[in-house]
PDB file of all heavy atoms in Angstrom:
ATOM      1  N   ARG D   6      58.931 161.964 182.447  1.00  0.00           N
ATOM      2  CA  ARG D   6      57.638 162.621 182.585  1.00  0.00           C
ATOM      3  C   ARG D   6      56.664 162.179 181.504  1.00  0.00           C
ATOM      4  O   ARG D   6      55.489 162.461 181.582  1.00  0.00           O
ATOM      5  CB  ARG D   6      57.820 164.138 182.574  1.00  0.00           C
ATOM      6  CG  ARG D   6      58.282 164.629 183.926  1.00  0.00           C
ATOM      7  CD  ARG D   6      58.226 166.114 183.981  1.00  0.00           C
ATOM      8  NE  ARG D   6      59.568 166.672 183.989  1.00  0.00           N
ATOM      9  CZ  ARG D   6      59.813 167.956 183.855  1.00  0.00           C
ATOM     10  NH1 ARG D   6      58.820 168.797 183.684  1.00  0.00           N
ATOM     11  NH2 ARG D   6      61.034 168.402 183.897  1.00  0.00           N
ATOM     12  N   LEU D  14      53.062 147.803 178.920  1.00  0.00           N
ATOM     13  CA  LEU D  14      53.221 146.491 178.287  1.00  0.00           C
ATOM     14  C   LEU D  14      53.161 145.375 179.315  1.00  0.00           C
ATOM     15  O   LEU D  14      52.548 144.339 179.095  1.00  0.00           O
ATOM     16  CB  LEU D  14      54.560 146.431 177.546  1.00  0.00           C
ATOM     17  CG  LEU D  14      54.583 147.008 176.135  1.00  0.00           C
ATOM     18  CD1 LEU D  14      55.944 146.807 175.503  1.00  0.00           C
ATOM     19  CD2 LEU D  14      53.504 146.338 175.289  1.00  0.00           C
ATOM     20  N   PRO D  22      45.786 137.228 179.127  1.00  0.00           N
ATOM     21  CA  PRO D  22      45.270 135.850 179.161  1.00  0.00           C
ATOM     22  C   PRO D  22      43.916 135.754 179.844  1.00  0.00           C
ATOM     23  O   PRO D  22      43.030 135.025 179.383  1.00  0.00           O
ATOM     24  CB  PRO D  22      46.325 135.096 179.968  1.00  0.00           C
ATOM     25  CG  PRO D  22      47.517 135.964 180.004  1.00  0.00           C
ATOM     26  CD  PRO D  22      47.094 137.357 179.766  1.00  0.00           C
ATOM     27  N   THR D  28      36.605 136.085 177.359  1.00  0.00           N
ATOM     28  CA  THR D  28      35.947 136.326 176.071  1.00  0.00           C
ATOM     29  C   THR D  28      35.445 135.015 175.483  1.00  0.00           C
ATOM     30  O   THR D  28      34.284 134.904 175.076  1.00  0.00           O
ATOM     31  CB  THR D  28      36.934 136.975 175.078  1.00  0.00           C
ATOM     32  OG1 THR D  28      37.573 138.059 175.728  1.00  0.00           O
ATOM     33  CG2 THR D  28      36.230 137.452 173.844  1.00  0.00           C
ATOM     34  N   SER D  77      40.231 160.840 172.324  1.00  0.00           N
ATOM     35  CA  SER D  77      40.622 162.033 171.573  1.00  0.00           C
ATOM     36  C   SER D  77      40.669 163.250 172.481  1.00  0.00           C
ATOM     37  O   SER D  77      41.566 164.084 172.361  1.00  0.00           O
ATOM     38  CB  SER D  77      39.633 162.281 170.435  1.00  0.00           C
ATOM     39  OG  SER D  77      39.595 161.174 169.582  1.00  0.00           O
ATOM     40  N   ALA D  92      43.046 155.421 170.299  1.00  0.00           N
ATOM     41  CA  ALA D  92      42.100 155.854 169.262  1.00  0.00           C
ATOM     42  C   ALA D  92      42.437 155.202 167.933  1.00  0.00           C
ATOM     43  O   ALA D  92      41.560 154.691 167.231  1.00  0.00           O
ATOM     44  CB  ALA D  92      42.140 157.370 169.131  1.00  0.00           C
ATOM     45  N   ALA D  94      44.057 152.421 167.408  1.00  0.00           N
ATOM     46  CA  ALA D  94      43.832 150.976 167.427  1.00  0.00           C
ATOM     47  C   ALA D  94      42.346 150.646 167.428  1.00  0.00           C
ATOM     48  O   ALA D  94      41.934 149.590 166.948  1.00  0.00           O
ATOM     49  CB  ALA D  94      44.512 150.364 168.648  1.00  0.00           C
ATOM     50  N   LEU D 107      25.212 146.927 160.383  1.00  0.00           N
ATOM     51  CA  LEU D 107      24.479 147.232 159.154  1.00  0.00           C
ATOM     52  C   LEU D 107      24.134 145.951 158.389  1.00  0.00           C
ATOM     53  O   LEU D 107      23.002 145.755 157.945  1.00  0.00           O
ATOM     54  CB  LEU D 107      25.312 148.161 158.263  1.00  0.00           C
ATOM     55  CG  LEU D 107      25.483 149.590 158.767  1.00  0.00           C
ATOM     56  CD1 LEU D 107      26.565 150.318 157.968  1.00  0.00           C
ATOM     57  CD2 LEU D 107      24.171 150.356 158.668  1.00  0.00           C
ATOM     58  N   GLN D 151      53.015 161.451 161.711  1.00  0.00           N
ATOM     59  CA  GLN D 151      51.964 160.710 162.400  1.00  0.00           C
ATOM     60  C   GLN D 151      51.260 161.582 163.440  1.00  0.00           C
ATOM     61  O   GLN D 151      50.047 161.521 163.607  1.00  0.00           O
ATOM     62  CB  GLN D 151      52.575 159.474 163.063  1.00  0.00           C
ATOM     63  CG  GLN D 151      51.562 158.569 163.728  1.00  0.00           C
ATOM     64  CD  GLN D 151      50.520 158.062 162.744  1.00  0.00           C
ATOM     65  OE1 GLN D 151      50.842 157.506 161.711  1.00  0.00           O
ATOM     66  NE2 GLN D 151      49.249 158.278 163.054  1.00  0.00           N
ATOM     67  N   MET D 189      17.848 149.236 176.716  1.00  0.00           N
ATOM     68  CA  MET D 189      18.336 150.441 177.388  1.00  0.00           C
ATOM     69  C   MET D 189      17.187 151.435 177.541  1.00  0.00           C
ATOM     70  O   MET D 189      17.073 152.384 176.770  1.00  0.00           O
ATOM     71  CB  MET D 189      19.448 151.084 176.562  1.00  0.00           C
ATOM     72  CG  MET D 189      20.558 150.127 176.216  1.00  0.00           C
ATOM     73  SD  MET D 189      21.689 149.926 177.572  1.00  0.00           S
ATOM     74  CE  MET D 189      23.154 149.429 176.712  1.00  0.00           C
TER      75      MET D 189
END
Side-chain angles (χ1 to χ4, degrees):
Chain D
R6 281 190 251 171
L14 276 183
T28 311
S77 301
L107 290 168
Q151 184 59 53
M189 307 279 205

